[in-house]
Amino acid sequence: MKAQKGLLRGMKKNPQGESKYDSLLERDYMLELESMGGVKEWTKGHNIKIPYKIFGILPHNYLPDFLIIFVDGSKEIHETKGAGFLAWASTHAKRYAGDKWCKQRGMIYRFIENSKGALFTQNNNLENLTKA
């Protein structure tokens, strides 16, 4: 199945006023961010690259979906993933690296998954990722 891509315009909390999306999940989450209380701004154009390794040996760079800035000045990285990607090794490696990267900078990493058409936000810190 091919992801639906497009451009969402008229965004008040996005500094550019518009943003490209790479999936319907991303598009829907952009709309959610626009209506979410406490969000000052959000962007996909943040230029953040997080290094990670698949299977602990294969180096890659991870470009997270969203940088969120809240009215209190706090920042978070949000990553969206559809249910079909949740079991992938690269998804788990990115979650681990994203959480570690954010903690080193006093930020929070959130993983937004789509399960049966609903959005679920998870605060996935290292402790949660390693629990059985």
Side-chain angles (χ1 to χ4, degrees), residues 58 60 116:
L58 301 171
H60 293 277
K116 298 182 182 176

Side-chain angles (χ1 to χ4, degrees), residues 5-120:
K5 298 181 179 192
L7 179 67
L8 202 55
R9 293 190 168 105
M11 303 288 97
K12 295 184 184 340
K13 294 183 180 181
N14 180 283
Q16 294 80 31
E18 64 184 29
S19 186
K20 292 181 180 179
Y21 57 88
D22 297 320
S23 68
L24 294 179
L25 175 59
E26 278 189 12
R27 183 202 63 193
D28 292 349
Y29 195 61
M30 289 176 188
L31 294 170
E32 189 171 320
L33 288 168
E34 283 292 307
S35 64
M36 194 179 292
V39 172
K40 179 181 176 184
E41 66 182 62
W42 62 268
T43 185
K44 286 180 58 80
H46 47 67
N47 298 317
I48 294 172
K49 291 182 182 178
I50 300 174
Y52 74 100
K53 293 182 180 178
I54 297 179
F55 305 118
I57 56 172
L58 301 171
H60 293 277
N61 282 312
Y62 161 44
L63 309 171
D65 291 334
F66 299 97
L67 170 64
I68 316 299
I69 301 173
F70 292 90
V71 293
D72 67 1
S74 62
K75 296 178 182 180
E76 295 184 359
I77 295 292
H78 292 195
E79 177 67 17
T80 59
K81 281 288 180 247
F85 297 99
L86 299 179
W88 288 20
S90 61
T91 298
H92 293 281
K94 289 175 183 180
R95 287 172 73 174
Y96 181 84
D99 184 69
K100 184 177 176 181
W101 188 92
C102 284
K103 280 188 173 186
Q104 291 170 343
R105 289 156 179 82
M107 298 169 65
I108 292 175
Y109 180 83
R110 296 197 190 271
F111 190 80
I112 315 301
E113 69 179 75
N114 180 351
S115 179
K116 298 182 182 176
L119 295 178
F120 298 96

